Amino acid sequence: MKTYIPTSLLFITCLCLCTFVSAQSAYTKLCLEGVELESHSDFDGAKIKYTQAISLKPAEFQAYNFRGKVCFRLEEYQNAIDDMTKAILYNSNEHSSYNIRARAFAMTDRYSEAIADYTHLLSVLPQKDPLHSSALERRAYYYYRNKQYTEAVSEYTSIINSKLLHGETADVFSYQFRGGAYFHLKKYTEAIADFEIVLNQSPNSKTFIYLEGWAYHNNGNQNQATKLAERYIVLDPSKGKYYKGSDVLKMYDYDANFKSADAKLAAIKSNIADLNSTISGNLKNIELTSIYNDLHELWDKNITAFQEDQYRTDTLEYYLSLIYPQLKDKPVISEEARKLIVQATTATTEKQYDQAIQLYKQSLEIEPCDHLAF
């Protein structure tokens, strides 16, 4: 998905450029043509114009700034970083150059460098500048992604307190990430308080139901941990196959569960690689069915609590989608998924489309390859 940068900002910059240069030089003309192409979403064409402008005046910052923004929109993040670094070299007072470079750094997981750019911006921007609050929120998030949890807690606390001081409601994301930072710092009581605020707004958020239950578990309150585990299973019945009764709290053995899952997934990948050497069609189908069942078991057990662990869910989904079409006999969907599809179909008939979409999504969380739900 391309990143949105307001068209109005491009025209304001364009106007400033016209004011700065009384007569349109070839350089200015090329920049204006690039801005016009951007306004019509022709980013590749705009990039060519800015490149031509740079060739005329390689020590002028404006075309680098323009081209860097286009590269960011085109998801060419290293090119955006290079251009914004040049723009800053020739004009260190242009705030947008630092902003875009910081975001490009973050998109390439270079969070320390993104934090440095936002730290600079926050040191020079007045608090009333709209970019100030945006820079503060982004730096807080990058602290979290960089595993600087103490700094993230401090930053999010400042953001929340500032909102409350001005009689405003703090964004729920501030509580989500501060709660996550508290959790990583093993400050479970504080984490629970933040997760509770999140769940008051989004009572069916499986991620935060799980995280709050896990925090209670680590804090020694197994009664509350069990209640939240059961609440999670209501939203995702497939988990009830493996986490139930006296085993329900095994849901919170997060690291052990993932270590076991990674080992099984490695074996499954090896079995998939060996499929090409299977000559018999019937034998291959038996092996495919076995692999699919193993993948589905891992899918049923899988819980993703943190954004950085999403790759495991994505990997399972990828291999399920790879194996399922090759199955000669498609597996029957589970009763839990079937019930949700019936409810979703009823909701659709009654024109309750938002409810129907949510029910179909729930069914796909149980049966990720069910074509009917899609």
Side-chain angles (χ1 to χ4, degrees), residues 17-35:
L17 189 62
C18 290
T19 304
F20 181 73
V21 182
S22 56
Q24 281 192 12
S25 64
Y27 176 88
T28 305
K29 184 173 182 293
L30 286 166
C31 287
L32 291 173
E33 289 173 353
V35 169

Side-chain angles (χ1 to χ4, degrees), residues 79-119:
N79 289 338
I81 291 167
D82 293 341
D83 276 348
M84 289 312 183
T85 299
K86 283 279 191 179
I88 291 167
L89 174 66
Y90 297 123
N91 182 1
S92 61
N93 296 319
E94 178 56 47
H95 298 152
S96 67
S97 299
Y98 288 97
N99 181 38
I100 297 298
R101 188 173 71 171
R103 293 169 66 184
F105 276 137
M107 294 303 294
T108 54
D109 296 334
R110 294 160 67 178
Y111 297 112
S112 294
E113 289 159 290
I115 290 166
D117 273 351
Y118 278 125
T119 298

